[in-house]
Amino acid sequence: MKVTTVRVALGALGLAACAAVIWRVGSSAMTSHVLNSSLRRGAILVDQGSISEATSEYEAALSAARDLGRDHPRYDEALARVADAYEASGRYDDAYSLRLESLQRAQAAYGSQSAEVATALFELGSIRAFQGEGDSAVVLLRQALNIWQALHGNEHPDLIPTLYQLGSTLHALGNDEEAGPYLEWGIGLQRRSTGSDSREVAPLEYRYAE
């Protein structure tokens, strides 16, 4: 009798453990579905110009990604999409917090002198510039530029956005003596990478002329 009772108890425990595993697998699959579908719907809504609705979808995606764990392959994507949406709607403080998390994750995953870190620093600097915190923006953007130069030298197109943002920010601060060389550098790279008659050069030239 005692042996039978023990076997029944062990069997019940085994069934409970199996049920728990099945529940976790099912829950994870459902959460992954939420993550993927929310990212997909968010992208569609952005294309339609529905930033508010897209933000809600991206927030749902990030919440799902956090539930799945920070090592999930789409975690960084969800983080970036929410930050993009916050910036588009002027929620710069919220966007900055997420971009800072992206920077920390990039440093841990790729090292401090990586393209991912340079991109994150550029994003943080751009937010500070939009917020009118030019001095802070310049520090971040110079850090980004230094990494791009270390990775690619001085003639790579990847430098152009940072050169433009850095020059524009210095210009806004009234420091045209420093702004000019960065903007000229950016314009030159743009011309060499796209052709002197390209329309893509015009925004840089216009900004420099202001």
Side-chain angles (χ1 to χ4, degrees):
M1 179 66 73
K2 289 182 179 180
V3 173
T4 301
T5 302
V6 170
R7 286 177 176 169
V8 171
L10 288 174
L13 287 172
L15 289 173
C18 288
V21 169
I22 292 170
W23 182 86
R24 283 196 297 270
V25 170
S27 177
S28 178
M30 181 61 69
T31 305
S32 294
H33 174 73
V34 171
L35 169 59
N36 294 328
S37 60
S38 293
L39 285 172
R40 184 170 58 253
R41 286 194 299 268
I44 293 170
L45 288 165
V46 167
D47 289 341
Q48 295 174 347
S50 302
I51 300 301
S52 179
E53 293 178 28
T55 300
S56 297
E57 291 292 344
Y58 285 145
E59 286 174 334
L62 182 57
S63 177
R66 292 196 193 282
D67 288 342
L68 290 167
R70 295 173 187 268
D71 292 332
H72 191 277
R74 301 200 75 178
Y75 185 95
D76 289 318
E77 180 183 356
L79 194 65
R81 295 294 78 77
V82 177
D84 289 342
Y86 285 168
E87 285 187 48
S89 56
R91 295 173 58 180
Y92 294 122
D93 287 337
D94 293 330
Y96 190 88
S97 295
L98 295 182
R99 297 294 191 197
L100 186 59
E101 183 181 348
S102 292
L103 171 62
Q104 293 165 346
R105 288 175 59 82
Q107 289 170 330
Y110 304 106
S112 61
Q113 296 297 304
S114 62
E116 290 79 6
V117 167
T119 299
L121 287 166
F122 168 78
E123 298 288 359
L124 288 168
S126 298
I127 291 173
R128 286 297 188 235
F130 292 144
Q131 290 178 309
E133 298 182 23
D135 291 333
S136 177
V138 166
V139 171
L140 292 162
L141 292 166
R142 279 182 170 148
Q143 290 175 2
L145 181 60
N146 288 339
I147 295 173
W148 286 126
Q149 287 179 273
L151 291 171
H152 299 311
N154 295 333
E155 288 293 313
H156 197 280
D158 281 354
L159 277 68
I160 294 171
T162 304
L163 288 168
Y164 170 57
Q165 187 65 68
L166 179 54
S168 297
T169 302
L170 287 165
H171 175 74
L173 289 170
N175 192 346
D176 290 333
E177 186 175 349
E178 286 192 74
Y182 287 120
L183 290 169
E184 288 176 345
W185 184 359
I187 291 169
L189 283 179
Q190 192 82 42
R191 280 188 174 136
R192 289 189 288 278
S193 63
T194 61
S196 59
D197 295 328
S198 172
R199 293 181 182 179
E200 295 179 31
V201 179
L204 284 170
E205 292 181 324
Y206 176 78
R207 183 58 175 159
Y208 181 51
E210 286 184 337

